[in-house]
């Protein structure tokens, strides 16, 4: 599903050049659950942004399926993102002025889906997240765990092939964090590819592989579980 070849990312100012990624090569198959770990500033978030087509590499090749997307413009990257990738963030990133239903529906607004079909899709994912009873509530009326459930609902309402999760339990207590990891595991078992950045060794072990990043490079990989689907796409 994903193949990176010698990816580099360099940030330049008038006085400083910073290498955030330095020759990253990585293959991720459809249906995998991969955890990415490393200290702050090691390049994890930069790697996630490139994988999610939010940013583009300075050098190297990025194949998303059959498409080589490394040099795509922002508009072309956005077209691929909205149909294929869902994002889950540590800070939830819900819109305070919208209620739960509206926050989730927002992910569908810019598609050609009719209003009736949007409502059906939103209700289905809110039911999956056990949040239908809160659909008229606003983010500030929800607990952290409930907000993350809404964020997950928003991430999956488009039925993406890939979910990118950036410290998804970072702002949650142990119980709610465990609930979120169980939800991600369930989504993966249903066929969604998941790539998760985490500082938590406990959370990382929900994946099939742990990839360790240091100073912009992959320094080790640890395979935790057998991956059943051996056919990359």
């Amino acid at each position: 599903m994903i193949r990176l070849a010698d990816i580099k990312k360099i940030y330049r100012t008038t006085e400083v050049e910073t290498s955030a990624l330095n020759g990253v090569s990585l293959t991720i198959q459809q249906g995998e659950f991969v955890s990415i770990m490393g200290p702050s500033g090691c390049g994890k978030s930069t790697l996630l942004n490139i994988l999610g087509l939010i940013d583009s590499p300075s050098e190297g090749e990025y194949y998303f399926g059959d498409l080589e997307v490394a040099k795509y413009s922002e508009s072309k990257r956005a077209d691929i993102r909205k149909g294929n990738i869902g994002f889950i963030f540590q800070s939830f990133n819900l819109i305070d002025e919208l209620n739960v239903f509206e926050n989730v529906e927002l992910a569908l607004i810019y598609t050609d889906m009719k209003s009736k079909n949007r409502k059906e899709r939103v209700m289905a994912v809110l039911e999956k997240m056990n949040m239908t009873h809160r659909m008229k509530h606003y983010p500030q009326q929800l607990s952290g765990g409930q907000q993350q459930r809404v964020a997950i609902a928003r991430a999956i309402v488009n039925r993406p092939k890939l979910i990118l999760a950036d410290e998804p339990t970072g702002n949650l207590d142990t119980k709610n964090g465990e609930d979120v990891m169980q939800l991600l595991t369930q989504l993966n078992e249903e066929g969604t590819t998941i790539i998760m950045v985490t500082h938590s060794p406990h959370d990382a072990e929900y994946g099939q592989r742990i990839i360790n990043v240091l100073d912009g490079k992959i320094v080790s990989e640890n395979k935790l579980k057998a991956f059943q689907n051996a056919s990359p796409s």
Side-chain angles (χ1 to χ4, degrees):
M1 180 184 187
I2 285 174
R3 183 167 66 86
L4 305 181
D6 200 26
I7 291 291
K8 298 179 181 179
K9 182 63 181 180
I10 299 170
Y11 295 102
R12 293 183 176 91
T13 66
T14 53
E15 298 179 355
V16 179
E17 180 176 289
T18 303
S19 178
L21 294 176
N22 188 13
V24 170
S25 296
L26 175 65
T27 298
I28 295 172
Q29 296 183 25
Q30 176 68 43
E32 272 198 282
F33 188 152
V34 176
S35 302
I36 299 175
M37 298 191 73
S40 296
C42 71
K44 302 187 306 296
S45 293
T46 300
L47 177 57
L48 206 67
N49 286 340
I50 288 174
L51 288 169
L53 299 172
I54 294 173
D55 202 355
S56 56
S58 303
E59 298 179 29
E61 298 177 341
Y62 176 13
Y63 288 89
F64 189 91
D66 295 328
L67 301 174
E68 207 290 283
V69 299
K71 304 303 182 185
Y72 274 20
S73 66
E74 164 55 27
S75 61
K76 289 183 74 173
R77 296 200 310 270
D79 285 341
I80 297 174
R81 273 201 313 270
K82 67 184 180 183
N84 294 283
I85 304 174
F87 296 88
I88 302 170
F89 303 97
Q90 176 178 347
S91 56
F92 316 135
N93 285 12
L94 302 177
I95 298 174
D96 289 339
E97 293 76 21
L98 301 181
N99 64 32
V100 165
F101 183 95
E102 292 165 339
N103 263 284
V104 178
E105 186 185 30
L106 190 63
L108 299 173
I109 292 294
Y110 300 106
T111 68
D112 296 328
M113 190 177 295
K114 295 180 179 179
S115 176
K116 177 185 176 183
N117 294 336
R118 289 203 308 268
K119 181 177 180 180
E120 291 173 351
R121 182 79 68 85
V122 173
M123 292 302 295
V125 297
L126 288 178
E127 183 173 354
K128 186 182 186 73
M129 295 296 117
N130 295 317
M131 287 298 295
T132 52
H133 64 298
R134 297 287 192 180
M135 68 179 181
K136 296 300 183 184
H137 287 67
Y138 290 84
Q140 60 269 27
Q141 297 174 301
L142 305 176
S143 68
Q146 290 170 333
Q147 289 187 59
Q148 193 62 297
R149 283 176 176 270
V150 176
I152 293 172
R154 181 186 57 192
I156 67 174
V157 73
N158 264 327
R159 298 175 180 170
K161 299 175 182 176
L162 171 66
I163 287 179
L164 300 178
D166 191 357
E167 299 284 358
T169 68
N171 284 337
L172 302 177
D173 60 30
T174 301
K175 172 62 169 64
N176 283 306
E178 195 74 19
D179 288 346
V180 165
M181 293 310 303
Q182 292 291 346
L183 287 170
L184 292 178
T185 299
Q186 180 184 346
L187 291 169
N188 178 245
E189 289 172 349
E190 293 169 357
T192 305
T193 306
I194 296 177
I195 303 173
M196 177 181 68
V197 162
T198 182
H199 279 103
S200 167
H202 172 75
D203 289 356
E205 289 185 359
Y206 279 87
Q208 287 133 3
R209 274 195 290 161
I210 298 177
I211 294 172
N212 290 287
V213 178
L214 183 65
D215 297 333
K217 298 180 179 180
I218 293 175
V219 293
S220 67
E221 291 191 35
N222 182 17
K223 186 175 181 181
L224 300 177
K225 305 167 190 172
F227 178 50
Q228 301 302 315
N229 180 5
S231 301
S233 61

